[in-house]
Amino acid sequence: MPPPLGAAAPAPAVTAPSFVHLALSTRLRVPAPRAAAAASVPAPHSSDAHDALLLHRAADVADRSAGLTSPHPNFGCVIARPQRETDSADSLVVGEGFLYAQGTPCAELLAAQEAGEHARGATAYLNLEPGDCYGDSTAVRSLVQAGITRVVVGLRHPLKHLRGKAIQALRSEGIQVDVVGEDLQNILFEEALKSCLTVNAPMLYRAAFHVPFSVLKYAMTADGKIAASSGHASWISGKASRGRVFELRGRSDAVIVGGNTVRFDDPRLTARHIEGHVPVRIVMSQSLNLPEEANLWNVNDAYTIVATQRGARRDFQKKLARKGVEVVEFDMLNPRDVMSYCYDRGYLSVLWECGGTLAASAISASVIHKVIVFMAPKIIGGLNAPTPVGELGMSQMTQAINLIDHSYEQIDRDMLLSGYIQPIPDLSPVIPSMDEIPSVDPEISPYETNIISFYKTWDTFGAFSNFSPHPIHMPDENGDSFMWPSVEHYYQAHKFVGVDNPQARTIVQEIKLAKSPEEAARIGRTRQKRFPELVRTDWETTKIDVMYRAIKQKFSTYPGLTNMLLSTAGSVLVEASPHDLFWGGGREGEGLNYLGRLLMQLRSEIMGTFPASVKVGEAA
Ligand SMILES: NC(=O)C1=CN([C@@H]2O[C@H](COP(=O)(O)OP(=O)(O)OC[C@H]3O[C@@H](n4cnc5c(N)ncnc54)[C@H](OP(=O)(O)O)[C@@H]3O)[C@@H](O)[C@H]2O)C=CC1
Ligand SMILES: Nc1c(N[C@@H]2O[C@H](COP(=O)(O)O)[C@@H](O)[C@H]2O)[nH]c(=O)[nH]c1=O
């Protein structure tokens, strides 16, 4: 049951949770009354702490698949016996396995083979729901034949055509399947769930954005340079750091550099010092003004692709082809088209090791998801020395892209900073699709699930829509405040707010003065499509915060709306837009329903701090 009303708690911060936090909170939030009853029954298995520890271990085992399995995700399976007399999880493990490469035995089969007879009556821990596909059912069959009696799953499979299939198949064989966030809601699973999201980040990004998971990596001196002004750059970071780079390459399907880096560094871009996977090397060059001889043209080291502008230096293209280098022509050579091409080739993860010019272009194209910086305690100076990221069109520090879930690590003399530009997308829709509901909770009939949908403002809960006529007073970037006619006006305008361009400011004014939310939406969407360069570079990451700020202000401005929201306690809220599969739930629950999630997040925050004076459920 939700915490008692009126429980004093500090006012929650305004900023919305990052995606990972949102994923956790919507999965591990206070269970609805029905689920709470189920959760209060003591689990007939080892404690949640053991399960969380072993699930975390399965994610670590899955990480050994990194770079080897594309286009399949990283799969890990740990089989453990629930021995009660010891607290150490290690002594519980009887078998482990990870997917070594496409077409090799699956993790579940390998773990079952290692466990042998000890698998009978044991529990299998999987970072990700088994991905048996194309009629193959090896993973499920391996667990059933090994005599596994319980399976703990970190994430449902992100791909719609696979999601829920293996879970249903295992349950139909009488195996107990506990899915984190559905059957296991204890906050103890937070770390384990985060490790499952992180180890499958490549698959999640690829499924969500239809481009490979892209990591920008560079080595930088303490004064922010990636080379001397002469272009000389070896070496900035130390041997141990460069060893980590070889590992990073070994986990990537491709490594990308720009034409200048080839001209200045003549790089090899191989994952030397470690055996196993060798990434494809990609050069992006519009001019094709590249050296006749270069390490990258030696395809005995690794495969090389040169991406160039259609028709560039055909004679040189032929020379490269004769060396075994693959040349791919693009009408307009740009990072997004190259990433779409890599997506089509099945790449899961790409490492950008380019200079600042191409890095800026890739960030502006929103194809960079994570940044890894090796900072060395060195000063090189140089007015014209190259820097890690070139022109992004930002003139105010307040426009800076804030890395999310960032972390620091010291590596010998260097400092490693890594963080996400675009947080890990959580693909699990809050509303299970119709065929999933029975497998989520057999007691629930698909037609009784307490899902509250809203879409048009005249629906019963239409006031939850961003188009509802509830003006909101919001501070602007200069601290002045403005009365926005609706949440939609505010949201659409903020695609262009802060962009230092008169045209962008004009669009913001147009949207402010739009006569209706529909008109505001039309202006915002059409201008975004026609003038992508006028949209703020960090829009993909900040749009959740912008929306959360606006709905928070809306509900705190209109107490009746807050009461209406509280009256939905325990129900799943779905914005039933069939078109917008990010904010909406889609026709069959395939949408991500982020507006519904934010409203539920807001509701659970209010439930924690709601003043006792106002009764829940009063007329709106
Ligand atoms: N310390 C570190 O980690 C690293 C340092 N460096 C250093 O950085 C310097 C090179 O930096 P930089 O000049 O920025 O080189 P880049 O690696 O960014 O290459 C820029 C070139 O990329 C090509 N390109 C293709 N498509 C695009 C696009 N859409 N946008 C932009 N460029 C595109 C063009 O090549 P073309 O002109 O052929 O058409 C362009 O000139 C070198 O001194 C190198 O040593 C480089 C990488 C990492
Ligand atoms: N100078 C520099 C880096 N430079 C990057 O590494 C590339 C050289 O790779 P390779 O030829 O395989 O050794 C170079 O082209 C550039 O992309 N990287 C780092 O981790 N630390 C460094 O100090």
Side-chain angles (χ1 to χ4, degrees), residues 255-322:
V255 179
I256 294 191
V257 290
N260 275 351
T261 296
V262 177
R263 289 185 280 267
F264 279 104
D265 297 352
D266 187 20
R268 293 166 53 196
L269 302 179
T270 49
R272 48 197 182 276
H273 299 344
I274 60 167
E275 68 280 351
H277 175 68
V278 178
V280 168
R281 302 165 305 178
I282 298 177
V283 179
M284 285 182 62
S285 168
Q286 285 120 336
S287 69
L288 220 48
N289 169 22
L290 299 170
E292 300 269 339
E293 298 304 322
N295 283 322
L296 291 178
W297 309 155
N298 173 5
V299 293
N300 297 320
D301 271 0
Y303 195 71
T304 300
I305 294 173
V306 171
T308 188
Q309 207 73 26
R310 190 167 304 289
R313 293 191 65 195
R314 286 227 191 273
D315 55 325
F316 186 65
Q317 287 194 30
K318 289 196 180 80
K319 279 186 185 165
L320 287 177
R322 279 197 292 277

Side-chain angles (χ1 to χ4, degrees), residues 220-229 232 236 378-383 385-386:
M220 174 180 84
T221 60
D223 57 327
K225 312 288 198 272
I226 59 170
S229 42
H232 186 262
I236 297 169
K378 293 179 178 176
I379 301 280
I380 181 71
L383 275 179

